[in-house]
Amino acid sequence: MILVLNSGSSSVKFRVVDLADPAAGERGLVEKIGEPGGVPDHAAALEEVLDGVDAAAIEAVGHRIVHGGSRFHAPVVVDDAVLDAVRELVPLAPLHNPGGITGIEAARAKLPAVPHVAVFDTAFHATIPPAAATYAIDRELAARYDIRRFGFHGTSCAYVSARAADLLGRPLDDLNLVVLHLGNGASATAVRGGRSVDTSMGLTPLEGLVMGTRSGDLDPAVPAYLHRVAGMDFAAVDDTLQRHAGLLGLAGVNDMRTVLEHRASGDEAAALAFDVYCHRIRKYIGAFHAVLGRLDAIVFTAGVGENAPAVRAASLSGLEPWGVTVDAARNEANERVISPDGARVAVCVVPTDEEHAIAEQTAALVL
Ligand code: ADP
């Protein structure tokens, strides 16, 4: 059995995966780490996780790490040097990597006899060519501070790409896909033959699509403008773009279910938020169709992608001249293939399972 840990700053999500029986296994969440009413620290959270599982049955631990920088292009067995390298990447992902590091430290202390593997969200995007990964800024500045497009959601993207190929009964090598991972964070990725060739997230997970609380794309001059005219310092600008933007900024709520409810009851702000969200997706599909040349399938995944027919329909509306069509009944029923039979571009809804994918990659490396 493989223990998969997804450690955030104040929570640890876990799953015990039996690769022979994917439906089995404990899963859960320890929240409010270091907060009133919660456990004091990650070590205590791990204690709680391990209390609930048969620790003796755990053969390896897979850790989700958000940012692997330029250093990690594949899962690695964690040793002290790897942990140091992940620490050095904290400036690139200050909101995400520290939780992962604390999770690794606590888990290694509790389970010292089994191998620990770090699986990076960025790794799948290492194949993005320089033309798509490079920002057009001073090249020395970019090189000194490692400023480039890294991309995220890679584990999910790789997993649903393979599942989509299974679903369509076609080899992944022959497929050109646009994968839309629409959760709290959201990204679009162009996948050619199972390899990422472009993605909407960049140096950090802020770029690209509209998200629950993150703005996604905007004019890069907006932060300097806010600093000049509103007197906001860089921390305040970062805070508004990361935590008070996206659906929350536009509609006052960050959960797509609530946005849809408010829109249905005539809330104009919610209607605009929905339109901006779907327009951005449509724009990226067009851009990535151009990047790929030929498009075989569009794949929706994660909370919104798997459960919101209205978002899928609105995002793809008007694309019929490109062979993109949605069968309304299939879409409403959240079927796995929601395009009509024989459509030029298949449209799929594929549930993601990052924990299972991390367990598979962990097992492939150490078992
Ligand atoms: P995370 O990125 O945290 O893993 P998920 O993939 O679970 O998140 O996606 C969470 C989002 O999915 C929620 O914010 C919610 O807006 C959306 N969601 C979940 N179920 C539905 C639904 N039935 N209809 C619309 N949106 C949904």
Side-chain angles (χ1 to χ4, degrees):
M1 308 259 255
I2 294 167
L3 174 63
V4 176
L5 294 177
N6 184 351
S7 305
S9 55
S10 66
S11 72
V12 175
K13 266 194 233 169
F14 73 93
R15 173 121 147 241
V16 180
V17 179
D18 179 353
L19 287 172
D21 185 3
E26 311 273 336
R27 65 180 76 200
L29 172 71
V30 182
E31 285 180 294
K32 295 188 180 170
I33 299 173
E35 292 172 18
V39 296
D41 54 23
H42 280 75
L46 255 288
E47 194 90 50
E48 197 168 301
V49 168
L50 293 174
D51 275 353
V53 307
D54 178 8
I58 293 168
E59 299 158 275
V61 184
H63 297 266
R64 177 188 183 217
I65 302 293
V66 171
H67 215 310
S70 299
R71 162 97 187 251
F72 298 109
H73 295 165
V76 287
V77 177
V78 177
D79 57 19
D80 292 344
V82 166
L83 200 49
D84 283 344
V86 176
R87 283 197 193 96
E88 282 168 22
L89 293 168
V90 165
L92 279 173
L95 303 177
H96 294 97
N97 272 21
I101 292 166
T102 319
I104 290 177
E105 288 167 343
R108 280 176 95 202
K110 290 280 166 208
L111 297 166
V114 302
H116 291 252
V117 172
V119 178
F120 300 92
D121 263 30
T122 45
F124 179 63
H125 300 295
T127 48
I128 293 178
T134 307
Y135 292 117
I137 60 171
D138 182 305
R139 55 192 286 184
E140 284 175 19
L141 197 63
R144 190 171 331 131
Y145 297 106
D146 215 1
I147 300 170
R148 49 162 287 174
R149 179 178 308 289
F150 288 103
F152 300 86
H153 292 146
T155 306
S156 169
C157 207
Y159 178 83
V160 299
S161 296
R163 296 291 88 77
D166 292 346
L167 186 65
L168 298 171
R170 294 173 62 179
L172 184 57
D173 284 355
D174 295 345
L175 284 178
N176 285 355
L177 309 172
V178 171
V179 176
L180 298 160
H181 179 113
L182 310 176
N184 283 312
S187 67
T189 299
V191 181
R192 176 183 288 131
R195 293 156 70 90
S196 173
V197 293
D198 203 350
T199 194
S200 60
M201 283 177 165
L203 175 77
T204 76
L206 183 59
E207 192 180 350
L209 300 181
V210 177
M211 313 187 206
T213 67
R214 288 174 240 160
S215 62
D217 292 339
L218 77 170
D219 183 338
V222 168
Y225 180 75
L226 282 174
H227 175 65
R228 259 194 335 271
V229 303
M232 292 167 75
D233 65 12
F234 96 91
V237 172
D238 198 45
D239 189 58
T240 191
L241 298 181
Q242 302 270 12
R243 296 195 185 82
H244 303 281
L247 295 175
L248 180 66
L250 291 174
V253 289
N254 70 316
D255 191 303
M256 181 56 88
R257 281 166 290 206
T258 320
V259 173
L260 293 171
E261 282 165 24
H262 291 185
R263 173 175 170 262
S265 53
D267 181 333
E268 284 181 17
L272 179 62
F274 174 87
D275 290 347
V276 174
Y277 187 96
C278 297
H279 176 85
R280 188 78 54 83
I281 294 172
R282 189 159 58 243
K283 197 163 147 178
Y284 268 96
I285 292 170
F288 287 169
H289 192 166
V291 166
L292 292 165
R294 186 197 77 230
L295 180 60
D296 299 308
I298 296 169
V299 184
F300 285 91
T301 193
V304 176
E306 293 166 27
N307 299 297
V311 170
R312 296 191 297 255
S315 301
L316 302 184
S317 75
L319 299 182
E320 290 80 7
W322 293 0
V324 178
T325 324
V326 170
D327 178 292
R330 289 181 177 180
N331 186 34
E332 284 302 323
N334 290 318
E335 285 186 18
R336 291 291 162 259
V337 179
I338 61 169
S339 45
D341 294 343
R344 184 143 45 91
V345 178
V347 182
C348 308
V349 177
V350 179
T352 192
D353 190 343
E354 285 167 299
E355 286 80 14
H356 188 81
I358 290 170
E360 278 180 340
Q361 295 187 27
T362 301
L365 198 60
V366 297
L367 295 188

